[in-house]
Amino acid sequence: GGCKSGEACSIVLRGASSHVLDEAERSLHDALCILTATVKDPRIICGGGCTEILMAQAIDREVESTPGKKALAMASFARALRQLPSIVADNGGYDSAELVTQLRAAHAAGNTTFGLDMYNGTIGDMRELGVAESFKSKLCVLLSASEAAEMILRVDDIIKCAPRARDGY
């Protein structure tokens, strides 16, 4: 299947309501954007929550040697990363606590390519299963999340600052 190189194709979407149709169109647009980004930058990473667990582990290792409040922020970011596989499992209707603890144990045992197998409700090797994500897409998501967290922290710092003294009041 598919279109031959250089040819165009049409995709017909049908839905029970305009709301369902709009959501399908948005999802298709997102998928095509990810595909375009992957063609431009073909690097891929293991999916299924694998990279989130790896990143959280790397941050946790750095937290141990980081002094002060920065360590608390780093630990919170690692905890947020570990929540992503949990959300995926919940959305799939699986027991997220069980799957994520199995996934963390697998990574601790050295199975660093393991992630959530959402077809079977277990964990498995993402390379063997062919579950991959676009590196560029994951990078953009992480940068957006970290920028949002940084903005929230800045607002908290501004709110905590003592008010400046005013003349005549």
Side-chain angles (χ1 to χ4, degrees), residues 10-144:
S10 296
I11 299 175
V12 178
L13 298 175
R14 293 174 43 160
S17 67
S18 61
H19 177 71
V20 170
L21 194 57
D22 289 343
E23 187 66 23
E25 184 179 3
R26 186 193 62 77
S27 295
L28 180 62
H29 179 266
D30 290 350
L32 290 174
C33 287
I34 298 293
L35 183 61
T36 302
T38 305
V39 168
K40 290 179 182 176
D41 185 356
R43 293 180 290 176
I44 57 172
I45 55 177
C46 291
C50 175
T51 53
E52 287 83 357
I53 297 295
L54 286 171
M55 289 184 285
Q57 286 177 337
I59 293 169
D60 285 337
R61 283 191 298 271
E62 287 298 315
V63 165
E64 294 171 3
S65 61
T66 304
K69 291 181 181 179
K70 187 175 181 181
L72 295 174
M74 291 169 65
S76 294
F77 193 73
R79 193 168 41 255
L81 285 170
R82 281 190 294 272
Q83 283 298 312
L84 294 172
S86 179
I87 292 167
V88 169
D90 283 338
N91 288 342
Y94 296 113
D95 182 359
S96 62
E98 180 67 26
L99 285 177
V100 173
T101 54
Q102 288 178 13
L103 182 57
R104 290 180 72 182
H107 277 254
N111 298 314
T112 58
T113 58
F114 271 46
L116 301 177
D117 177 355
M118 296 305 293
Y119 290 112
N120 300 310
T122 60
I123 62 169
D125 190 326
M126 297 293 99
R127 285 197 181 138
E128 286 179 12
L129 295 171
V131 178
E133 296 183 62
S134 165
F135 171 80
K136 184 79 171 176
S137 173
K138 182 62 74 178
L139 180 64
C140 289
V141 167
L142 284 169
L143 290 175
S144 296

